[in-house]
Amino acid sequence: MTETIISLSSVNPIEFFGVNNGKLDLLKKKFPLLKILSRGTQLKISGAPEQIDTAKEKITLILQYLERNGHLSENYFVQILGGDDAETVDNFIERNPNDILVFGPNGKTVRARTANQKKMVQAVDKNDIVFAIGPAGTGKTYTAVALAVRALKNKVVKKIILTRPAVEAGESLGFLPGDLKEKIDPYLRPLYDALDDMIPADKLGYYMTTRTIEIAPLAYMRGRTLDNAFIILDESQNTNDLQLKMFLTRIGANAKAIITGDPTQIDLPRNQRSGLEKASRILQNIDGIAHVQLDEEDVVRHKLVKAIIRAYDKEHKIEEEEYNSHGRR
């Protein structure tokens, strides 16, 4: 007798086991000679090796289907268990492409919701570095974090590194209360919030403790080589030319990076220029580097955010025209 453990961490376990473990009971009936136990996000199977191999083939098909589609009816669950219908499943998956990126706590699904967010997903699948540029509320950071979590769960990378420049928007860090971590954490809060939506609290705590997931200011990246990692530079419009170049040259073997930014929200001192425009311009047409532009149509916050962005864009154009015609602001 042998034993094997199958991880269900890439799917919603509720969808796999079914309501009141209905699907799990069907699996047990299909393989009565095997001992099948569920333990959280793991399935423990004991029995004869040939029986285990057959069960693993069926379970792999079910997991592949759930990873692509998020939901699997009990009827289709039975069909997959019933025969050698891998081709049927593959064809069904191809006809029903799925954009679910991560199953979060309590069955929450995180997916690319707009056309340009889906372009981000496709760009990351095909490139090692992706620039995602667009206004507030377009899901740049959220989608980037979901892609990083997906890569970690699928064992494509060994760690996630999330970083932001800690630029003072009207405040000096030195005058804020607390130690360095307490001073910096408010700047990194959006990254924590995104992770909270995608990873259970206890598992996230473990990842943070073991530095499988690392959240740090951009300055902490200097001098490092980041291998086997999914790296996100958020709010890159608040980096200068040297900082952005420093970040891009940290990327090591088997690493992916997403650089997000909003050129309309630069908090740098007036005597400093953002490095984002230059980087996104000079790094065009390089194999392995993709550029995705998000716009107001990708806004997934309150409906008024879209109207606010339009109003500011309109005013910005008027100011530019006045500057160009009179040579002054």
Side-chain angles (χ1 to χ4, degrees):
M1 178 177 287
T2 60
E3 179 182 291
T4 189
I5 294 177
I6 298 174
S7 173
L8 309 177
S9 60
S10 63
V11 304
N12 179 1
I14 297 172
E15 284 291 344
F16 183 88
F17 294 128
V19 178
N20 297 322
N21 285 333
K23 293 176 184 173
L24 179 61
D25 290 340
L26 291 170
L27 181 63
K28 290 178 178 179
K29 288 179 181 177
K30 174 65 179 177
F31 298 99
L33 300 179
L34 294 177
K35 184 179 181 180
I36 302 175
L37 299 174
S38 62
R39 293 183 176 178
T41 59
Q42 290 185 333
L43 202 63
K44 182 179 178 182
I45 305 175
S46 305
E50 62 274 10
Q51 282 275 314
I52 288 178
D53 289 343
T54 304
K56 282 178 68 176
E57 288 178 7
K58 298 298 182 183
I59 292 167
T60 299
L61 281 175
I62 291 168
L63 292 176
Q64 287 175 347
Y65 183 93
L66 281 172
E67 286 168 2
R68 293 291 302 274
N69 292 273
H71 174 71
L72 175 62
S73 70
E74 198 166 285
N75 179 54
Y76 211 80
F77 189 92
V78 171
Q79 286 186 48
I80 294 174
L81 291 179
D84 299 323
D85 52 3
E87 185 176 347
T88 302
V89 178
D90 289 342
N91 289 339
F92 191 90
I93 289 172
E94 289 305 314
R95 293 197 306 270
N96 297 271
N98 172 59
D99 53 12
I100 292 177
L101 300 175
V102 177
F103 286 100
N106 303 316
K108 176 184 175 69
T109 57
V110 179
R111 66 178 73 219
R113 295 171 59 183
T114 70
N116 287 323
Q117 288 175 12
K118 291 174 183 177
K119 284 182 181 178
M120 277 184 66
V121 175
Q122 294 167 359
V124 168
D125 288 343
K126 296 176 181 177
N127 300 272
D128 288 338
I129 297 176
V130 174
F131 284 82
I133 312 300
T138 52
K140 305 181 300 295
T141 300
Y142 200 77
T143 304
V145 172
L147 287 162
V149 172
R150 182 186 70 168
L152 183 65
K153 285 187 172 182
N154 291 344
K155 296 181 171 55
V156 175
V157 297
K158 294 181 179 179
K159 66 186 302 182
I160 295 173
I161 298 172
L162 309 175
T163 185
R164 273 183 153 198
V167 174
E168 301 92 334
E171 292 182 295
S172 172
L173 286 174
F175 290 100
L176 294 175
D179 59 20
L180 182 60
K181 183 178 185 301
E182 291 170 329
K183 291 175 180 181
I184 289 170
D185 271 0
Y187 292 99
L188 306 174
R189 189 70 251 170
L191 301 174
Y192 287 106
D193 290 343
L195 288 170
D196 286 340
D197 270 2
M198 301 175 200
I199 301 175
D202 56 343
K203 196 166 189 178
L204 179 56
Y206 170 77
Y207 282 153
M208 300 287 283
T209 302
T210 59
R211 297 185 71 182
T212 302
I213 295 180
E214 182 181 349
I215 305 177
L218 179 60
Y220 286 31
M221 299 299 108
R222 190 174 299 279
R224 300 177 62 182
T225 300
L226 307 174
D227 296 329
N228 302 304
F230 199 115
I231 316 147
I232 298 172
L233 171 58
D234 195 33
E235 300 286 357
S236 66
Q237 76 276 2
N238 287 327
T239 62
N240 60 37
D241 190 25
L242 291 176
Q243 287 173 322
L244 191 45
K245 180 183 177 183
M246 178 272 289
F247 170 80
L248 290 169
T249 54
R250 298 308 92 203
I251 298 168
N254 191 39
K256 282 184 176 287
I258 298 181
I259 298 93
T260 72
D262 177 3
T264 68
Q265 293 192 348
I266 297 173
D267 297 320
L268 292 169
R270 291 191 177 186
N271 63 340
Q272 289 190 32
R273 291 186 62 183
S274 170
L276 178 59
E277 184 277 331
K278 180 178 179 180
S280 57
R281 173 171 49 83
I282 68 174
L283 299 178
Q284 292 282 347
N285 304 317
I286 296 178
D287 288 342
I289 301 179
H291 302 259
V292 178
Q293 183 70 47
L294 296 96
D295 56 36
E296 64 193 34
E297 296 304 317
D298 298 295
V299 171
V300 290
R301 293 180 184 169
H302 193 288
K303 62 182 179 181
L304 287 176
V305 174
K306 195 176 292 188
I308 291 167
I309 291 172
R310 285 177 181 152
Y312 272 94
D313 284 347
K314 183 178 180 181
E315 182 65 19
H316 180 66
K317 288 177 182 177
I318 292 172
E319 290 174 352
E320 274 193 336
E321 289 173 359
E322 289 180 351
Y323 178 82
N324 291 333
S325 59
H326 301 293
R328 59 182 175 83
R329 293 189 183 276

